[in-house]
Amino acid sequence: MTSRRRVQVTELLRSENTEVEEERVESTLAPKKDGLQEILQMADDLRVRTIKGVIEILTPIQAVHFLIAAAEMHLRLHDWGKKGDWARRIHH
């Protein structure tokens, strides 16, 4: 996506959501959808392979502690992201 097109999409997302604007955003992103889904699938596969690789070299108790820590980190990052989204909505 060109810089100009990104700016247009960003401006559309920041303005009031109307059906016309949503259609423009969808039409801009639609051609990229398959590629983005493929990238997300590749990232998920890499995460799973990485976790399996780490667990293979740990003792069972270390693996449990690792998985607990990974889950806690995931949840905290998720909460942090939600708080950031909320703060941005309030200030815009």
Side-chain angles (χ1 to χ4, degrees):
M1 188 181 307
T2 66
S3 295
R4 181 173 167 254
R5 198 72 174 143
R6 283 187 201 131
V7 169
Q8 290 173 336
V9 170
T10 302
E11 288 173 354
L12 286 174
L13 293 173
R14 286 187 179 161
S15 63
E16 291 184 25
N17 288 333
T18 65
E19 287 183 32
V20 173
E21 290 169 343
E22 288 177 12
E23 288 175 16
R24 287 179 58 194
V25 169
E26 285 296 319
S27 67
T28 300
L29 297 178
K32 312 285 189 248
K33 187 176 182 178
D34 291 338
L36 292 172
Q37 286 176 334
E38 185 177 339
I39 290 169
L40 286 175
Q41 184 61 50
M42 291 170 56
D44 287 341
D45 293 343
L46 176 61
R47 278 189 287 274
V48 169
R49 287 194 318 268
T50 302
I51 288 173
K52 285 181 179 180
V54 168
I55 289 173
E56 285 178 5
I57 63 173
L58 299 174
T59 66
I61 194 69
Q62 288 173 326
V64 169
H65 288 286
F66 170 77
L67 292 172
I68 290 170
E72 287 177 350
M73 183 180 78
H74 173 79
L75 292 172
R76 288 183 183 165
L77 285 172
H78 182 72
D79 287 344
W80 178 64
K82 287 186 349 185
K83 287 177 186 175
D85 287 345
W86 179 250
R88 281 189 290 278
R89 286 183 192 156
I90 290 173
H91 293 102
H92 288 283

